[in-house]
Amino acid sequence: MRLTPAEQDRLQLYLATLLARERRARGVRLNVPEATALIAHAACEAARDGARLADAAAAARQVLTADDVLPGVPQILTEIQVEAVFDDGTKLIVITDPIPNPDSAAAAQAVPGAVLTGEPAAVVPTDPVQVEVTNTGPVAITVTSHFHFLEANRALVFDRRAAYGRRLALAVGEVTVFPPRSARTVTLTPIGGDRIVIGFAGLVDGPLDTPGQLEAALRRAHVAGYLDTGSKTAQEGTP
């Protein structure tokens, strides 16, 4: 059976959901990937059952509470984005506040001896960039508006370092299609908000502006076989 990359992603999500369900049934509190899988799967199934976009997102928010996950997960998992198949086509579901988020400051102060640290100021890019992208695969590849572009399909060849922390400069829900065996230039804009990237291909799974996160993501991409026209350091995975 031949599956498209999107269909393969949905099967991987389903397998991750089965694992998360087993662990939850044993009383194990879930981590970020496990919680993400359960919530995203619930949204996809609601869409498949005929729910509207807002209803699918609302159903996903009912799946887990703070008691179901490890400490800190609600604070990290502030938004989940997943493409789902609706009756009228594929749409991007954006699930904000997927788990009730307790007051992190109050929780920290409740622990005797807790150390509260400030966050270092990060230089966040604001300018758009253009990158040339070549699809080396035999089928068209679709990338949605808010997908972290560094983590886009491994058959796409482009400067992944330049794409770090950026998404396609498109309106929410729009897509760009990269035809097989061809190149095109796209504009990328910085990811906004809290700049926390969770899910996608798993190359970041955390704050974008943490020191060392860029190089770590490029090393993971190299090991996983993501094609890259960037620097030799990025391609070889040198620290």
Side-chain angles (χ1 to χ4, degrees):
M1 179 172 62
R2 297 179 64 86
L3 299 175
T4 65
E7 291 168 337
Q8 292 175 6
D9 289 343
R10 292 190 185 101
L11 283 177
Q12 289 180 340
L13 174 61
Y14 179 65
L15 290 175
T17 301
L18 290 181
L19 178 60
R21 284 175 177 169
E22 289 181 4
R23 290 177 175 172
R24 186 185 182 194
R26 298 201 309 267
V28 177
R29 300 181 75 177
L30 305 181
N31 58 23
V32 169
E34 293 162 351
T36 300
L38 272 179
I39 295 169
H41 179 72
C44 290
E45 289 304 293
R48 194 68 180 86
D49 289 341
R52 299 175 64 86
L53 184 63
D55 295 332
R61 294 189 188 97
Q62 307 302 315
V63 174
L64 296 175
T65 67
D67 292 334
D68 297 316
V69 298
L70 292 169
V73 171
Q75 289 82 359
I76 295 173
L77 203 55
T78 58
E79 181 179 282
I80 295 175
Q81 298 182 11
V82 62
E83 287 187 340
V85 179
F86 289 82
D87 290 343
D88 55 349
T90 301
K91 299 179 184 178
L92 179 70
I93 304 177
V94 181
I95 308 161
T96 56
D97 298 323
I99 302 173
N101 190 349
D103 186 349
S104 58
Q109 292 172 356
V111 180
V115 177
L116 303 180
T117 60
E119 297 182 358
V123 178
V124 178
T126 58
D127 56 313
V129 301
Q130 289 190 324
V131 295
E132 183 178 280
V133 182
T134 301
N135 179 3
T136 64
V139 298
I141 294 173
T142 300
V143 181
T144 57
S145 58
H146 283 58
F147 196 94
H148 183 209
F149 204 74
L150 174 141
E151 304 182 62
N153 194 294
R154 69 192 68 199
L156 296 178
V157 184
F158 58 93
D159 185 349
R160 293 189 185 260
R161 178 181 291 272
Y164 181 81
R166 296 177 181 272
R167 62 176 182 83
L168 288 167
L170 300 173
V172 173
E174 292 185 359
V175 302
T176 292
V177 178
F178 298 92
R181 314 295 187 189
S182 62
R184 66 179 300 177
T185 298
V186 297
T187 301
L188 304 179
T189 190
I191 293 174
D194 294 332
R195 289 179 57 79
I196 297 175
V197 169
I198 299 293
F200 299 107
L203 300 182
V204 177
D205 272 340
L208 285 165
D209 303 313
T210 299
Q213 185 74 282
L214 165 59
E215 300 300 335
L218 290 173
R219 287 196 295 270
R220 295 187 191 105
H222 171 73
V223 171
Y226 284 78
L227 300 180
D228 191 355
T229 60
S231 67
K232 184 177 179 181
T233 296
Q235 293 181 37
E236 294 184 354
T238 304

